[in-house]
Amino acid sequence: MGCLTAGEQKYSRGLEGVIAAISSISCIDGEEGHLIYRGYPIEVLAKYSTYEETAFLLLKGHLPNKKEYEEFKQQLKENAKLHPGMIDVITKFMMDAHPMDVIRSMVSLMGVFCPDKKEHTLEAKYQKAIRVTAKLPTMIAAFHRLREGKEIIDPDPNLNYAENFLYMMTGEKPDELSAKVLDIALILHAEHGMNASTFSGMVTASSLSDIYSAITSAIGTLKGPLHGGANERVMHMLDEIGSLENVKSYIENALAEKKKIMGFGHRVYKAYDPRAKILKDWAYKLCEMKGDLMHFKMGEEIEKIMIEKVGKKGIYPNVDFYSGLVYTHLGIPRDIFTPVFAMARSIGWSAHIVEYMEANRIYRPRAIYNGPIDLEYKPIEERE
Ligand SMILES: CC(C)(COP(=O)(O)OP(=O)(O)OC[C@H]1O[C@@H](n2cnc3c(N)ncnc32)[C@H](O)[C@@H]1OP(=O)(O)O)[C@@H](O)C(=O)NCCC(=O)NCCS
């Protein structure tokens, strides 16, 4: 028998350290705490760019010129509306469904309502990727309003991507700072190298399946608590702590009991996550404007104690520590934190999927076999 058996091949649990692609989309320096998208440091993009411009950069590989930028924004706006058939379906979902299940199903449904499903050119792939990114905010907001017994709000073509999401969620045009903070959070979540959801999207695409199927896989992977979802748990932790005075004892007890503090630590970053650094400043501005600095002050205190106690182990705040705070103060419900992550990341997923498909080879790893061989097949009557 030619089965692969233990000892013959090296097995990497969780594929740790396995190189599965060559990519020019982003680079993470976990030791120094740097992140670049297509050559541009994340700090520069957060300072000068917009989500739409960064999305173009990630997908197409260069910063858009004025004409490309206007056309791209227009494409996002034109594709933001949901097909009437999709609206029909979303209204029939159970209203206690998790919003991640909703968007996973809705992106899958996009394949059914796609006008150019048989087109597989590079341009058609870009088009489909843009459609997914354009429609995700509309789907999330539509489901949220339906479950609250409210009317769905159509996207407003006069608003940008971040503004439109907040508008479709609440029915009110957001103030400038709220829209800006969400825009920055979307930039910071748009891409992060070869993580589990990106990889699962690429695996699906590598069979020469389509963009909708690949992003459906990616959303399904992001849904798990080991990937998306830590920011939601940060907010639960803040609820549990309850007040600034309780922070010290809570964190010290949790560390003594070897519990993980949510929003800290990262598989790749062993320094301060650069995204957390940027978001922290914006979280402060937002909380100050809303006149409620309680969560922020608790966050700062947790950070101070954690760095003192476990900073030397390379444990610092990650992006989820401050994103939960930001989303909460933008009025976004907790079960919509991960869908917002998916909405931002859809463009990073698409960039990797399209890049891999251009030099495609189907992913086909192997497993070490540790089961029996040569068992005797007994007829069913003779089995115990
Ligand atoms: C992100 C995470 C899964 C990375 O895990 P990892 O790379 O496998 O790191 P490990 O779990 O091996 O941790 C290494 C050490 O740091 C400690 N550590 C890691 N994250 C910690 C945290 N959030 N709080 C307290 N201690 C932590 C571990 O207890 C371990 O200590 P030890 O060496 O004394 O046993 C982990 O840090 C974690 O669970 N963080 C909290 C959840 C979170 O914020 N996730 C969002 C990630 S963006």
Side-chain angles (χ1 to χ4, degrees), residues 56-119:
F56 182 101
L57 169 72
L58 287 168
L59 192 62
K60 305 278 178 89
H62 64 273
L63 281 172
N65 61 29
K66 214 167 173 7
K67 181 167 172 283
E68 288 171 320
Y69 186 41
E70 291 310 319
E71 278 171 8
F72 189 73
K73 285 194 290 186
Q74 196 51 33
Q75 279 180 303
L76 282 171
K77 286 178 181 175
E78 278 166 8
N79 285 288
K81 266 190 113 162
L82 301 182
H83 186 285
M86 292 179 67
I87 295 186
D88 231 34
V89 174
I90 202 170
T91 56
K92 297 196 171 68
F93 284 152
M94 288 174 79
M95 290 298 135
D96 65 351
H98 194 286
M100 282 300 278
D101 291 335
V102 170
I103 61 169
R104 189 198 56 230
S105 308
M106 293 295 278
V107 170
S108 172
L109 206 58
M110 284 181 69
V112 178
F113 290 106
C114 178
D116 52 357
K117 46 180 110 28
K118 297 209 173 96
E119 298 270 343

Side-chain angles (χ1 to χ4, degrees), residues 230 260-267 306 313 315 318 320:
K260 294 253 170 85
I261 305 300
M262 290 299 117
F264 282 82
H266 197 277
R267 174 59 61 82
M306 284 295 284
K313 278 200 217 169
I315 297 163
N318 58 53
D320 283 326

Side-chain angles (χ1 to χ4, degrees), residues 46-345:
K47 190 160 181 195
Y48 299 111
S49 189
T50 60
Y51 178 69
E52 289 90 329
E53 187 185 62
T54 297
F56 182 101
L57 169 72
L58 287 168
L59 192 62
K60 305 278 178 89
H62 64 273
L63 281 172
N65 61 29
K66 214 167 173 7
K67 181 167 172 283
E68 288 171 320
Y69 186 41
E70 291 310 319
E71 278 171 8
F72 189 73
K73 285 194 290 186
Q74 196 51 33
Q75 279 180 303
L76 282 171
K77 286 178 181 175
E78 278 166 8
N79 285 288
K81 266 190 113 162
L82 301 182
H83 186 285
M86 292 179 67
I87 295 186
D88 231 34
V89 174
I90 202 170
T91 56
K92 297 196 171 68
F93 284 152
M94 288 174 79
M95 290 298 135
D96 65 351
H98 194 286
M100 282 300 278
D101 291 335
V102 170
I103 61 169
R104 189 198 56 230
S105 308
M106 293 295 278
V107 170
S108 172
L109 206 58
M110 284 181 69
V112 178
F113 290 106
C114 178
D116 52 357
K117 46 180 110 28
K118 297 209 173 96
E119 298 270 343
H120 298 292
T121 60
L122 180 62
E123 207 32 61
K125 286 184 190 119
Y126 283 147
Q127 191 55 44
K128 289 170 191 167
I130 292 166
R131 267 184 220 139
V132 174
T133 300
K135 289 190 199 315
L136 272 164
T138 321
M139 292 170 193
I140 299 168
F143 180 70
H144 176 61
R145 289 188 69 82
L146 285 170
R147 72 182 179 174
E148 293 212 311
K150 295 178 181 154
E151 290 283 309
I152 295 176
I153 296 177
D154 278 342
D156 180 340
N158 299 311
L159 300 179
N160 71 26
Y161 191 83
E163 287 168 335
N164 230 329
F165 174 64
L166 293 172
Y167 166 65
M168 289 188 287
M169 287 284 289
T170 61
E172 282 168 29
K173 304 218 165 125
D175 61 84
E176 215 177 296
L177 181 63
S178 298
K180 177 71 184 165
V181 177
L182 179 60
D183 193 63
I184 305 264
L186 296 176
I187 292 174
L188 300 177
H189 284 85
E191 158 61 11
H192 212 228
M194 184 61 89
N195 49 74
S197 55
T198 300
F199 183 54
S200 80
M202 289 167 67
V203 170
T204 300
S206 81
S207 71
L208 297 186
S209 184
D210 63 294
I211 300 276
Y212 305 119
S213 303
I215 295 185
T216 301
S217 301
I219 295 174
T221 306
L222 183 69
K223 186 189 166 201
L226 294 186
H227 193 353
N231 49 11
E232 214 177 315
R233 286 182 289 160
V234 169
M235 296 316 294
H236 290 303
M237 179 178 75
L238 293 183
D239 284 351
E240 231 173 81
I241 298 175
S243 71
L244 191 56
E245 296 71 53
N246 292 345
V247 167
K248 194 164 188 289
S249 57
Y250 180 97
I251 299 295
E252 285 178 353
N253 290 341
L255 289 179
E257 288 168 28
K258 296 248 165 247
K259 282 192 187 146
K260 294 253 170 85
I261 305 300
M262 290 299 117
F264 282 82
H266 197 277
R267 174 59 61 82
V268 182
Y269 293 116
K270 298 303 166 200
Y272 208 117
D273 179 339
R275 302 166 302 169
K277 216 178 262 176
I278 298 166
L279 212 49
K280 181 180 175 182
D281 289 347
W282 287 99
Y284 178 77
K285 289 181 194 155
L286 182 68
C287 295
E288 193 186 33
M289 182 191 74
K290 302 273 175 185
D292 181 1
L293 280 165
M294 214 265 275
H295 284 143
F296 186 85
K297 284 187 180 156
M298 286 168 76
E300 268 201 325
E301 185 64 13
I302 297 173
E303 182 183 326
K304 198 180 110 215
I305 299 169
M306 284 295 284
I307 294 178
E308 236 169 66
K309 303 257 174 216
V310 289
K312 51 190 167 306
K313 278 200 217 169
I315 297 163
Y316 292 92
N318 58 53
V319 69
D320 283 326
F321 192 60
Y322 288 105
S323 67
L325 236 113
V326 161
Y327 298 151
T328 300
H329 289 276
L330 287 175
I332 297 172
R334 286 184 191 173
D335 64 354
I336 289 188
F337 291 1
T338 314
V340 171
F341 183 167
M343 175 177 126
R345 183 59 59 82

Side-chain angles (χ1 to χ4, degrees), residues 14-23 25-28 35 191-203 227 266-268 345 348-349 352-353 355-356 363:
L15 298 185
E16 186 172 356
V18 172
I19 307 298
I22 296 176
S23 174
I25 299 169
S26 68
C27 169
I28 306 167
L35 170 63
E191 158 61 11
H192 212 228
M194 184 61 89
N195 49 74
S197 55
T198 300
F199 183 54
S200 80
M202 289 167 67
V203 170
H227 193 353
H266 197 277
R267 174 59 61 82
V268 182
R345 183 59 59 82
W349 289 331
H352 282 279
I353 289 162
E355 180 185 63
Y356 191 75
Y363 279 110

